[in-house]
Amino acid sequence: MPSPDRRTGELRRTGPGLLARVRGYFRLHVQNLLGALGRLARQPVASLLTVAVIGIALALPAGLDVLVSNARTLSAGWASAVDFSVYLEPGQPLARAETLAAEARGRPGVIAVEVISAEEALAQLSRFAGLEAALEALEENPLPHTLVVRPRPGLSAEEVGALAAGFEQLEGIDLVQLDTAWVERFLAIVDIARRASGLTLMLLGFAVIVIVGNTIRLDIENRRSEIEVVKLIGGSDGFIRRPFLYGGLWYGVIGGLLAVVFNATALLALSGPVQRLAGLYGTDFALQGPGFAGLGMLVGGGALLGWLGAWVATSRHLRNIEPT
Amino acid sequence: MIRFEAVGKRYPGGGEALATLDLEIAAGEFVFLTGPSGAGKSTLLKLVSLIERPSRGQVVVNGQNTRRVSRRRIPHFRRGLGMVFQDHKLLADRSVFENVALPLLIAGFSQRDINRRVRAALDLVGLVDKAPRLPLTLSTGEQQRVGIARAVVSKPPLLIADEPTGNLDPALSLEIMRLFERFNELGVTLLIATHDIDLVTRLGHRRLELVEGRLIGDTGSSDAIA
């Protein structure tokens, strides 16, 4: 029989205090975070490949989004920069046109009104080859006087529409012609592109989860015996899981950063030609990058997807590893 | 410390590993578990460490009925006992120090406590100067002592070992057993499975003999007082 007064006291099992445990918990997190990065660095080629695939998968929808939002910025300018023509009823005197123009200049939302008299219009028309003879055959000028109204830039398409409609109510106006149909068509195309970029984002986001999940699964397989040992000496599921979650987080973050680099390179390569094209159209339009918020979302989104992929992989595979 | 009440263990698709075993090991005892291969020694240790659960009966370890330890609580349960393995089960990519520190890290000790306790444990097994080395650069006997340091570093009241000297020559085996005896003097209960009968006879502690899942011999705990 063991004697009761053996020196058991010396070996009384003492656990760490609460404060030490909380501090230890945070220290463990930091160690796991850095440790996971270290593990990535120890297999540079494999890690780089994984990260590059994630980077491309993230850069594609992000790049599309940049293009779409640029197209929207560009076309938003167009929709309101459209001049519209106000045709007076035939037979209205030029003086009426001048009066209307003076009145129109006072309207809010209008920055310029040009009067084109019927004679000027006919002169313009007759400059087109082939029409000259036909026009000379006419006994009288069939064209009305016209006002060309330029709305203030920055108005929305609806506001411009309302402005144009306002002219239709006026005495002596035959027709107001607002040619924004092509802008609307363009906007519809942009909208489709925007949807497509959303879908791409969803698909490739899912792809990132799968890529990270698969990489982490292989990582778990490779470290199977280590996991068994840690389980044997009392490591909790959380303790075992944490390094893998941080691994996934790193894959996502570095992939996101790489996507930022890809996008910046693409923007840089495109900005020159785009500026030349814009110059040809007489505008000073320049490609806008995604901005800091966009870049932050790219890296943050990458981190989230990476973590999620690791979470899925560890949920599925860690449980099955038990010491035997 | 350990109590088996009518414990049976049958593996799925296999035969009966343990049949109706009753057993009591008191705190502070030094117990050898002997028997031929396949007698159920490992199964018995696995039931104590909750690697396996009994098909029948109750296993009580450290005052806890293992039936009432849920899967989630197993890690916490295992922190209450030290385990030594024949193949050491050290992590090859971590230093001796980090291997021994692992149980303390898991339990959430402060870095200062970890340093202090790991030094103390390595001192006990005589390997303080090997702390920065990787396990594979050490001899088999030294690796086993690292495994033992890891098992005792969190000062568990119970230490179980499955063929801890299985790969060692007689001199090293004796050295390891003397180490276990020192822990026993400090109050640790030991349960050691081995088939090194010579060593068991020579050391003369309580011996449980298993054959085909049955306890056929128990020398009793007359030797318990060191």
Side-chain angles (χ1 to χ4, degrees):
Chain A
M1 285 291 289
S3 52
D5 62 340
R6 299 179 70 184
R7 285 171 285 163
T8 45
E10 264 182 47
L11 264 175
R12 201 187 308 123
R13 190 163 171 261
T14 49
L18 182 66
L19 187 67
R21 273 208 302 268
V22 171
R23 281 226 301 268
Y25 184 77
F26 283 110
R27 196 183 59 244
L28 259 184
H29 272 273
V30 173
Q31 281 174 357
N32 279 323
L33 185 71
L34 298 178
L37 187 61
R39 239 190 304 280
L40 255 62
R42 276 198 288 279
Q43 303 174 319
V45 178
S47 301
L48 207 67
L49 281 175
T50 306
V51 164
V53 172
I54 296 169
I56 292 166
L58 289 174
L60 264 167
L64 249 155
D65 191 60
V66 167
L67 288 183
V68 167
S69 57
N70 271 294
R72 280 159 70 86
T73 316
L74 187 63
S75 56
W78 293 339
S80 54
V82 165
D83 295 354
F84 58 87
S85 308
V86 179
Y87 300 101
L88 275 69
E89 286 168 358
Q92 290 282 343
L94 186 58
R96 173 66 184 150
E98 297 289 3
T99 318
L100 280 171
E103 187 216 27
R105 285 186 190 105
R107 294 196 173 208
V110 174
I111 55 164
V113 180
E114 191 191 350
V115 179
I116 299 173
S117 69
E119 291 71 33
E120 279 169 345
L122 189 66
Q124 272 180 22
L125 204 57
S126 64
R127 257 181 256 135
F128 288 98
L131 280 179
E132 223 170 295
L135 290 175
E136 262 170 30
L138 292 172
E139 287 169 16
E140 57 181 76
N141 186 351
L143 298 174
H145 302 301
T146 309
L147 307 182
V148 177
V149 181
R150 169 156 296 174
R152 181 166 54 81
L155 291 187
S156 70
E158 288 76 31
E159 284 169 323
V160 174
L163 193 64
F167 281 90
E168 263 172 350
Q169 317 291 317
L170 296 176
E171 183 73 35
I173 301 296
D174 186 25
L175 178 72
V176 177
Q177 197 176 48
L178 176 65
D179 191 13
T180 53
W182 68 275
V183 176
E184 273 157 23
R185 266 180 235 129
F186 182 80
L187 279 178
I189 293 170
V190 170
D191 200 43
I192 291 170
R194 196 166 60 102
R195 290 269 167 106
S197 108
L199 281 172
T200 321
L201 179 69
M202 270 166 56
L203 275 175
L204 291 177
F206 182 68
V208 170
I209 293 178
V210 172
I211 294 161
V212 174
N214 196 47
T215 309
I216 296 292
R217 182 183 65 81
L218 290 174
D219 201 15
I220 289 173
E221 263 332 296
N222 286 336
R223 295 169 66 192
R224 197 181 182 94
S225 55
E226 178 185 343
I227 293 166
E228 278 182 18
V229 170
V230 175
K231 281 198 175 185
L232 272 177
I233 59 178
S236 63
D237 288 353
F239 181 88
I240 293 166
R241 184 175 209 174
R242 222 170 290 136
F244 294 106
L245 291 181
Y246 277 120
L249 191 76
W250 278 120
Y251 279 127
V253 166
I254 300 173
L257 287 172
L258 211 59
V260 169
V261 173
F262 288 157
N263 272 0
T265 312
L267 271 178
L268 215 62
L270 285 178
S271 70
V274 165
Q275 225 148 18
R276 218 164 51 237
L277 181 69
L280 291 176
Y281 279 94
T283 77
D284 55 355
F285 175 79
L287 276 179
Q288 292 297 307
F292 277 112
L295 297 184
M297 269 169 65
L298 203 50
V299 177
L304 184 73
L305 291 172
W307 186 87
L308 216 61
W311 190 84
V312 171
T314 49
S315 299
R316 282 179 51 87
H317 301 290
L318 278 186
R319 216 191 146 84
N320 298 334
I321 300 178
E322 280 295 337
T324 50
Chain B
M1 184 58 70
I2 298 175
R3 195 167 72 245
F4 276 54
E5 294 171 8
V7 172
K9 176 64 186 176
R10 179 188 286 278
Y11 287 107
E16 192 132 82
L18 286 180
T20 327
L21 200 75
D22 286 288
L23 178 64
E24 172 107 36
I25 295 172
E29 278 196 273
F30 190 122
V31 180
F32 282 119
L33 188 60
T34 63
S37 299
K41 301 192 295 290
S42 294
T43 298
L44 195 151
L45 293 184
K46 283 176 184 172
L47 291 174
V48 173
S49 56
L50 261 178
I51 294 171
E52 295 290 347
R53 289 179 182 275
S55 312
R56 297 183 307 278
Q58 317 268 338
V59 177
V60 181
V61 178
N62 224 343
Q64 271 183 295
N65 188 329
T66 58
R67 267 197 199 290
R68 302 213 186 92
V69 178
S70 68
R71 192 191 170 276
R72 273 178 55 86
R73 296 294 293 171
I74 287 178
H76 190 263
F77 170 86
R78 286 196 186 131
R79 286 174 215 167
L81 53 108
M83 278 190 263
V84 177
F85 312 93
Q86 181 172 8
D87 57 353
H88 331 310
K89 292 202 189 297
L90 300 175
L91 303 183
D93 62 341
R94 303 199 198 179
S95 70
V96 165
F97 183 95
E98 287 170 315
N99 267 286
V100 176
L102 202 52
L104 303 176
L105 208 62
I106 289 169
F109 279 88
S110 74
Q111 196 61 52
R112 214 187 53 212
D113 280 351
I114 289 178
N115 289 339
R116 198 166 47 79
R117 288 184 179 228
V118 172
R119 296 279 157 209
L122 285 176
D123 194 33
L124 269 174
V125 300
L127 287 175
V128 173
D129 54 325
K130 302 282 166 64
R133 300 266 293 269
L134 288 177
L136 290 179
T137 66
L138 304 183
S139 71
T140 319
E142 286 172 332
Q143 288 183 40
Q144 189 55 291
R145 272 147 63 195
V146 174
I148 292 168
R150 185 183 65 189
V152 300
V153 73
S154 54
K155 303 186 181 177
L158 171 64
L159 196 67
I160 62 175
D162 194 0
E163 304 283 0
T165 60
N167 295 330
L168 304 178
D169 64 43
L172 279 174
S173 298
L174 184 64
E175 194 183 306
I176 296 289
M177 288 302 175
R178 292 291 180 212
L179 200 52
F180 283 140
E181 284 182 329
R182 280 184 62 198
F183 294 131
N184 186 236
E185 281 166 26
L186 295 171
V188 178
T189 310
L190 282 110
L191 176 58
I192 300 167
T194 180
H195 50 240
D196 193 343
I197 303 297
D198 290 346
L199 201 59
V200 171
T201 319
R202 187 165 160 199
L203 291 172
H205 296 290
R206 178 180 175 189
R207 176 179 162 192
L208 301 170
E209 195 172 358
L210 279 178
V211 170
E212 290 180 356
R214 283 166 208 287
L215 193 61
I216 60 155
D218 182 354
T219 60
S221 46
S222 56
D223 64 304
I225 297 156

